[in-house]
Amino acid sequence: MTTTFMSSPKYFFTSESVTEGHPDKMCDQISDAVLDAILSQDPDARVACDCVATTGLVFVTGEITTEAYVEIPEIVRQTVIDIGYDRAKYGFDGETCGVTVSIKGQSADIALGVDEALEAKQGGMQACEENDIRTLGAGDQGMMIGFACNETPEYMPLSISLAHKLCRRLAEVRKNGMLGYLRPDGKSQVTIEYSYGQPVRVDTVVVSTQHHPDVPRSQIVTDVVEHVIRPVVPAALLDDRTRYLVNPTGRFVTGGPKGDAGLTGRKIIVDTYGGVARHGGGCFSGKDPTKVDRSAAYMTRYMAKNLVAAGVADRLEVQVSYAIGVAHPTSIAVETFGTGKIADEKIVKLIKDNFDMRPGAIICTLDLWRPIYKATAAYGHFGRDDIDAPWERLDKVQMLKEQAGLP
């Protein structure tokens, strides 16, 4: 989204989300469930766990170095059952599906840079306050993006916020029996009409949900509009021009891994900001916090959210980049889309003065070496107040206001 978005009298933007039963999201949850199980026994573990799912089969692979022992097939089956795939007629059954595991240790070449950063080898790095992990280097090269805006209370874009809430509502009415004929797989999509950067109405809502084969589409449309869309989307944003597209193909019985193979890390835009902000390219799920794809993305969200809440800008995107084996970022950049209240270079200075972006410092600041990740693997990693997400804290707002000279 460029400054054109802020100056346009009519601008449409769309974001999507998927339910926990979507095959890609199922794989994300399995990868993070394995990560959590390992971290609960061995906080120093190095985990990069990937998952593939297809008809009747889950394949878990990756690089894991740990002192812990966990029953990965057991974790897979329980995760699948918790999602709702617990009988063959749903297209997948966690009790009877095949589970194949092929895991190896982290590459010794990668470990050389992660265990001891280039700066540590050269001397002079300071320890974190609570835990001396000053020697950690970045687990890979790459760029990470954080974003925040003030158009919703959670400092998230309205389009992705509503899309996530619709998918969560689909799961809720399925699990509580209100719409018991629904099945775990589903998707949502929300198009927002903006005027001069402000959301003015919801233009289109798309909901596709897996269902029992005997339920007619007419009933599904009526029920989803009444019990899913209207309880979620504020009435003030709906009008007589709003379009509702529910199961637009007419039928969605075959879903989950039977309908489409799943893969960890294939829903990175769903996981982040719904396409409003750029994305660094790396996924989050299955990765321990030495992987800056995950930890630095959380840290940049933490920075952007606190800065926007402090009034530095109405919309703020932060980019950082790393070199493998090096602790300090190779670059820091900001984009305010024409909404900045102070100069961009002053925002960068605020970041450098108040946020330590070394991987070890990020882990200390956000307390990331804990089993908190499975809960992030469905319905987005950001804008959440229902899970333990320390990157959502607003604990630096007053300090940033004062340093920025803002009222």
Side-chain angles (χ1 to χ4, degrees):
M1 244 183 232
T2 65
T3 52
T4 305
F5 158 77
M6 304 302 296
S7 59
S8 175
K10 184 178 286 191
Y11 184 95
F12 295 88
F13 194 86
T14 302
S15 296
E16 72 158 348
S17 183
V18 299
T19 65
E20 62 205 65
H22 186 281
D24 294 330
K25 273 287 137 212
M26 189 175 92
C27 290
D28 287 342
Q29 290 165 89
I30 291 169
S31 293
D32 273 336
V34 172
L35 171 64
D36 278 357
I38 291 171
L39 289 180
S40 66
Q41 296 182 36
D42 179 11
D44 297 323
R46 301 291 164 76
V47 180
C49 180
D50 293 304
C51 177
V52 180
T54 187
T55 305
L57 176 66
V58 175
F59 177 47
V60 181
T61 186
E63 297 77 45
I64 299 177
T65 299
T66 182
E67 299 296 320
Y69 176 76
V70 298
E71 280 284 356
I72 291 179
E74 226 173 76
I75 294 167
V76 170
R77 294 186 188 283
Q78 191 58 56
T79 302
V80 172
I81 290 168
D82 289 346
I83 289 168
Y85 288 118
D86 55 3
R87 58 200 70 185
K89 66 181 180 180
Y90 292 175
F92 206 86
D93 183 359
E95 292 281 3
T96 60
C97 68
V99 180
T100 301
V101 180
S102 179
I103 299 289
K104 61 181 184 294
Q106 184 180 67
S107 161
D109 293 345
I110 294 175
L112 279 174
V114 178
D115 293 340
E116 187 173 30
L118 179 65
E119 298 96 321
K121 293 169 185 172
Q122 295 171 343
M125 290 183 72
Q126 295 181 355
C128 286
E129 207 171 287
E130 297 178 1
N131 187 17
D132 186 359
I133 51 175
R134 65 181 183 272
T135 61
L136 287 179
D140 203 350
Q141 71 175 42
M143 61 282 190
M144 297 83 214
I145 302 290
F147 179 82
C149 62
N150 59 10
E151 65 186 58
T152 61
E154 59 268 29
Y155 294 92
M156 289 288 286
L158 180 60
S159 53
I160 188 65
S161 178
L162 291 177
H164 284 324
K165 289 174 181 177
L166 287 168
C167 282
R168 292 184 63 155
R169 180 65 178 169
L170 276 176
E172 181 183 351
V173 297
R174 168 174 62 89
K175 292 178 177 180
N176 69 16
M178 180 181 288
L179 300 182
Y181 61 80
L182 298 185
R183 301 295 182 249
D185 199 355
K187 306 175 84 169
S188 70
Q189 186 171 285
V190 179
T191 301
I192 303 294
E193 181 182 333
Y194 288 85
S195 180
Y196 301 106
Q198 297 301 311
V200 294
R201 58 182 293 272
V202 171
D203 183 73
T204 306
V205 180
V206 182
V207 175
S208 293
T209 179
Q210 187 186 10
H211 59 89
H212 188 285
D214 295 338
V215 180
R217 179 173 178 264
S218 57
Q219 180 183 345
I220 297 170
V221 172
T222 299
D223 286 348
V224 167
V225 172
E226 181 67 24
H227 298 294
V228 177
I229 296 174
R230 293 198 181 278
V232 166
V233 181
L237 294 175
L238 300 172
D239 58 28
D240 57 4
R241 292 177 294 144
T242 302
R243 292 187 300 163
Y244 305 101
L245 301 175
V246 178
N247 281 15
T249 67
R251 180 179 167 88
F252 186 1
V253 172
T254 303
K258 184 179 180 181
D260 191 8
L263 180 65
T264 298
R266 202 156 55 179
K267 285 289 177 284
I268 57 177
I269 300 303
V270 171
D271 286 341
T272 53
Y273 306 102
V276 172
R278 285 164 280 203
H279 195 288
C283 80
F284 305 152
S285 290
K287 296 178 180 178
D288 75 78
T290 66
K291 280 73 171 174
V292 284
D293 276 340
R294 181 167 223 157
S295 55
Y298 290 166
M299 190 65 166
T300 51
R301 162 63 177 176
Y302 176 56
M303 296 189 301
K305 185 176 181 180
N306 276 269
L307 286 161
V308 169
V312 166
D314 295 335
R315 307 176 73 81
L316 178 63
E317 182 183 275
V318 180
Q319 185 205 65
V320 297
S321 64
Y322 290 88
I324 188 169
V326 180
H328 289 90
T330 56
S331 68
I332 300 174
V334 300
E335 170 62 69
T336 62
F337 309 94
T339 71
K341 305 304 187 289
I342 61 175
D344 287 359
E345 56 267 27
K346 290 185 178 179
I347 299 175
V348 172
K349 186 176 188 305
L350 284 173
I351 290 171
K352 290 180 177 179
D353 289 347
N354 294 285
F355 301 93
D356 190 337
M357 291 299 296
R358 295 174 299 163
I362 294 172
I363 292 168
C364 285
T365 300
L366 300 179
D367 194 14
L368 293 180
W369 251 330
R370 298 180 293 132
I372 60 173
Y373 299 106
K374 183 185 175 185
T376 68
Y379 311 118
H381 293 244
F382 306 122
R384 305 283 296 272
D385 61 7
D386 61 311
I387 63 173
D388 185 356
W391 49 90
E392 294 297 319
R393 295 192 312 245
L394 288 171
D395 54 1
K396 290 185 177 287
V397 174
Q398 190 57 40
M399 178 185 63
L400 292 168
K401 274 186 178 182
E402 291 170 1
Q403 292 182 24
L406 295 169

